[in-house]
Amino acid sequence: MTPTPDLLFRTLADPTRRAIFERLCREGEQTVGALTARSGVSQPAVSKHLGALKQAGLVRDRHEGRQTHYSAQPGALNPLIDWTGQMAGFWQKRLDALDDLLKRMDQ
Amino acid sequence: MTPTPDLLFRTLADPTRRAIFERLCREGEQTVGALTARSGVSQPAVSKHLGALKQAGLVRDRHEGRQTHYSAQPGALNPLIDWTGQMAGFWQKRLDALDDLLKRMDQ
DNA sequence: TCTATCCATAACCTCCCGGTTATGGATTTT
DNA sequence: AAAATCCATAACCGGGAGGTTATGGATAGA
């Protein structure tokens, strides 16, 4: 079984935090300062968001002198993909059953 | 462009609410009473969650006498799927660029 | 008709979360 | 050595979200 996507959903629910993650996905590794510059919130806020993202396994950090570089951790989205796939699967399954039923009633 | 998955993430972030949605996906249409029975929270709480799910387009309701039947609305997850796909795509793109660069340096 | 059931809404409470400012340790620059 | 920069943590605050109980409208059953 794939790990529960609970933490993932909670972490990505906040727009500011998700925006940070998106930027890391689009543009690759960034320092805290660079991320803060266009985030619209204070540097401590960004640091907190990065901490949350890290705890959810969505980002990695790399220390270099006095600055910290963050980068997106791609595979971390897999549980999300699996979950949506499952939900779609359940739906499809019930659709098939209905289809089958109708086919039997038809003949 | 696909609609922003913001509302989707926020709506699915709550475990109780997501559990209700999962049950509707697995087992199909359910009345509020049936959902309340195994939800662990009060009936008004369930009604509120269903309201949120409905507003996010994740469920449909069907009134029949004094009871209301809810069912999952499958296509609603598409923006989520698109979003995860985009993120994975960005990552892949940068990987390709890196690969290309290395190849050039090599020769 | 009278009662019981189903569900939605209102009113309220609590707690968590995202924001802020303040601070300090580590490192770079002058 | 002194000053400045980068970032993380602490402390605090306000608002929102999820929970509850209370209530009422609509429908089904007696």
Side-chain angles (χ1 to χ4, degrees), chain B:
Chain B
M1 255 304 143
T2 119
T4 159
D6 191 283
L7 185 56
L8 240 32
F9 271 118
R10 267 192 298 128
T11 304
L12 293 171
D14 180 73
T16 306
R17 189 157 51 224
R18 198 172 57 252
I20 292 175
F21 178 70
E22 289 185 18
R23 281 199 52 197
L24 289 176
C25 284
R26 290 177 188 271
E27 310 168 14
E29 196 180 69
Q30 309 260 343
T31 70
V32 176
L35 290 170
T36 300
R38 270 165 292 170
S39 68
V41 295
S42 67
Q43 172 266 313
V46 172
S47 275
K48 271 209 247 177
H49 283 306
L50 288 170
L53 289 169
K54 181 180 173 185
Q55 193 159 15
L58 287 163
V59 301
R60 265 172 41 82
D61 59 346
R62 179 174 68 82
H63 297 279
E64 182 180 328
R66 66 184 166 182
Q67 49 193 5
T68 311
H69 299 259
Y70 283 87
S71 55
Q73 193 77 348
L77 287 178
N78 285 347
L80 251 188
I81 299 175
D82 293 346
W83 184 84
T84 51
Q86 272 197 8
M87 294 308 115
F90 292 143
W91 170 65
Q92 187 63 36
K93 198 169 170 186
R94 286 185 298 101
L95 238 183
D96 290 349
L98 177 64
D99 191 51
D100 190 50
L101 178 65
L102 289 179
K103 215 175 296 178
R104 270 193 244 174
M105 284 177 55
D106 199 25
Q107 77 173 23

Side-chain angles (χ1 to χ4, degrees), chain A residues 32-99:
Chain A
V32 176
L35 289 169
T36 300
R38 272 165 290 169
S39 68
V41 295
S42 65
Q43 173 265 313
V46 173
S47 274
K48 272 208 245 178
H49 283 305
L50 289 169
L53 289 169
K54 181 180 172 186
Q55 192 158 17
L58 286 163
V59 301
R60 266 171 39 84
D61 60 346
R62 180 174 68 82
H63 297 278
E64 182 180 327
R66 65 183 168 184
Q67 50 192 5
T68 311
H69 299 259
Y70 283 88
S71 55
Q73 195 77 348
L77 288 178
N78 286 347
L80 250 187
I81 298 175
D82 293 345
W83 184 84
T84 53
Q86 272 196 8
M87 293 308 115
F90 292 143
W91 170 64
Q92 187 63 35
K93 198 169 171 186
R94 286 186 298 102
L95 239 184
D96 289 349
L98 177 63
D99 191 50

Side-chain angles (χ1 to χ4, degrees), chain A residues 5-48:
Chain A
D6 193 283
L7 185 57
L8 239 33
F9 272 117
R10 267 192 297 128
T11 305
L12 293 171
D14 181 71
T16 307
R17 190 158 50 222
R18 197 173 57 254
I20 292 175
F21 178 69
E22 289 185 18
R23 282 198 51 200
L24 289 176
C25 283
R26 288 178 190 272
E27 311 168 14
E29 196 180 70
Q30 309 260 343
T31 69
V32 176
L35 289 169
T36 300
R38 272 165 290 169
S39 68
V41 295
S42 65
Q43 173 265 313
V46 173
S47 274
K48 272 208 245 178

